[in-house]
Amino acid sequence: MLSQKKLMSFLCFKHKKTFPRIVFFSTKTLPQAKEAGSLSASKSPTSSHIGTEIRKPVLPANCRFIYPEFLPDPNIEWRNPVRERLERRDMLDRRAQIEIPEFYVGSILAVTSSDPHAAGKVSRFLGICILREKCGLRTRFILRNVIDKQGIEISYDLYDPTLQKIEVLRLEKRLDDRLLYLRDALPEYSTFDSNMEQELREEGAEVPINEIKVRLRPRPWLERWERQNLQGISNIDQYLTDKRRRTAKEHEKPWEKYDLMKQYRLTIPEEQQKEIFAEVYSQIHQMDVERQKNRRKRSFFNPTKLA
């Protein structure tokens, strides 16, 4: 193989002509150039590369409590990565249509939904959230209120397209994750005014925990509450006999808090949680920012001219 210089000299001598010089450029950068570029980029903070970077929102540590429905079912038999990703897309599309605020079991909500049998085709129900369960598009919550001395409960699907508005009138938590024992409690603990106004809360403040303990009515009860290790009941021992206390102790399982495999099967690994919320939280944060901008625009009004 002849080199490039020898080939050019041979052709010039044979044809007695001068050929223009051909220069070849390579698109590959030398290692020294790469090092120099990285040093210059680190030294100059006002470079164009830094200016074009997109800052991602910081992922909060309590994401799994605010958005628990985005986590898949921990039961391995129901896991399907493709279905879970498609469901997350549908959930984000639904959140773009309606604002789903942060709430917990024990918060007081007001839900407005379309009802073909109502007078104005719209119904509004206010009550305390006593249950929030399931995941994905099947997520549901139950509201309870006592109206005209009659306990009323309505179960809503969180991503139901018939929901028009979800308002959090009082954001708080309770001592237990499930408040189903309010069905057997005195009605005063589940009675709320239908015209209740929203309580203002400072932005970024911690969610308070309401440590109130309810009093149960005498038996019969819907469930054996003495076997569930509940902290929000004050007078449960008042209605227990010696036989029921012995039976409750026989059904206790104090070793479960040391069962690591059971905890592993009932939870999603932290690595998967971070991966899921990193995919979802940026879009949710962007929606919240846009809604805050729209609220500020609505609150502004032009002053009228004085006469």
Side-chain angles (χ1 to χ4, degrees):
M1 293 293 292
L2 296 174
S3 63
Q4 179 182 355
K5 188 179 291 187
K6 290 183 180 180
L7 181 61
M8 293 295 294
S9 60
F10 174 75
L11 292 175
C12 291
F13 176 75
K14 184 176 181 181
H15 298 281
K16 297 181 180 180
K17 292 181 180 180
T18 59
F19 293 91
R21 185 179 178 185
I22 301 175
V23 182
F24 296 93
F25 296 94
S26 175
T27 57
K28 297 182 179 180
T29 56
L30 297 176
Q32 297 178 357
K34 287 183 180 180
E35 294 177 0
S38 62
L39 291 174
S40 62
S42 61
K43 288 181 180 179
S44 59
T46 59
S47 62
S48 61
H49 175 70
I50 295 177
T52 57
E53 283 184 355
I54 299 175
R55 296 182 61 185
K56 295 183 178 180
V58 180
L59 192 66
N62 57 348
C63 256
R64 61 192 182 98
F65 302 109
I66 304 176
Y67 315 106
E69 65 271 8
F70 284 99
L71 295 178
D73 195 328
N75 190 355
I76 195 65
E77 297 179 359
W78 299 97
R79 296 296 303 273
N80 188 336
V82 177
R83 176 183 58 80
E84 292 164 5
R85 180 161 293 185
L86 292 175
E87 282 190 354
R88 286 196 291 269
R89 288 185 181 179
D90 292 342
M91 292 157 69
L92 290 174
D93 292 342
R94 180 58 184 161
R95 281 181 173 266
Q97 302 297 327
I98 181 177
E99 182 181 2
I100 300 179
E102 172 188 0
F103 70 93
Y104 305 91
V105 173
S107 301
I108 300 175
L109 311 179
V111 178
T112 305
S113 61
S114 59
D115 186 0
H117 305 289
K121 304 297 182 182
V122 173
S123 64
R124 183 177 184 268
F125 184 76
L126 183 146
I128 181 173
C129 180
I130 63 174
L131 181 67
R132 183 175 180 177
E133 62 176 1
K134 297 184 180 180
C135 58
L137 294 174
R138 302 179 302 280
T139 305
R140 73 182 187 114
F141 62 97
I142 299 178
L143 299 185
R144 176 179 174 82
N145 198 352
V146 177
I147 301 175
D148 293 336
K149 300 181 181 180
Q150 179 66 38
I152 299 176
E153 295 182 3
I154 299 182
S155 175
Y156 294 100
D157 292 333
L158 187 60
Y159 292 93
D160 188 355
T162 61
L163 299 186
Q164 298 183 5
K165 190 177 183 181
I166 301 177
E167 304 171 78
V168 179
L169 305 182
R170 182 187 297 168
L171 183 64
E172 64 181 11
K173 298 179 182 178
R174 290 294 184 95
L175 297 175
D176 301 308
D177 296 333
R178 297 159 62 95
L179 301 181
L180 297 179
Y181 52 79
L182 289 179
R183 298 169 177 173
D184 292 324
L186 297 177
E188 60 190 34
Y189 297 104
S190 303
T191 305
F192 302 95
D193 187 8
S194 58
N195 298 322
M196 178 180 177
E197 297 183 358
Q198 185 177 11
E199 297 182 359
L200 299 179
R201 175 174 167 268
E202 295 182 1
E203 186 177 357
E206 294 184 0
V207 180
I209 299 177
N210 191 346
E211 298 182 355
I212 185 174
K213 294 189 177 183
V214 303
R215 295 181 59 85
L216 297 180
R217 292 176 295 184
R219 285 179 176 273
W221 296 334
L222 295 176
E223 296 184 26
R224 295 184 176 94
W225 306 117
E226 69 274 7
R227 300 184 183 181
Q228 300 184 19
N229 192 21
L230 300 172
Q231 302 178 8
I233 302 177
S234 61
N235 65 334
I236 193 169
D237 292 335
Q238 181 180 351
Y239 303 108
L240 294 182
T241 60
D242 295 338
K243 182 179 179 180
R244 292 186 183 275
R245 289 191 182 91
R246 288 196 301 269
T247 307
K249 286 185 179 181
E250 291 175 359
H251 286 81
E252 287 182 356
K253 297 178 181 179
W255 59 85
E256 285 189 348
K257 60 181 179 180
Y258 304 107
D259 192 349
L260 299 181
M261 286 304 300
K262 183 176 182 179
Q263 296 178 12
Y264 177 78
R265 288 191 295 267
L266 295 178
T267 55
I268 303 298
E270 188 176 357
E271 296 79 9
Q272 296 184 18
Q273 292 186 22
K274 290 182 178 179
E275 182 180 353
I276 292 171
F277 287 125
E279 172 190 352
V280 169
Y281 182 72
S282 59
Q283 301 184 38
I284 296 177
H285 179 72
Q286 185 177 0
M287 294 177 193
D288 294 340
V289 171
E290 292 178 356
R291 288 194 178 100
Q292 290 178 1
K293 290 181 180 178
N294 293 334
R295 286 172 189 162
R296 292 169 185 168
K297 290 179 181 178
R298 292 171 188 170
S299 61
F300 176 78
F301 59 94
N302 293 326
T304 56
K305 294 181 179 180
L306 299 175

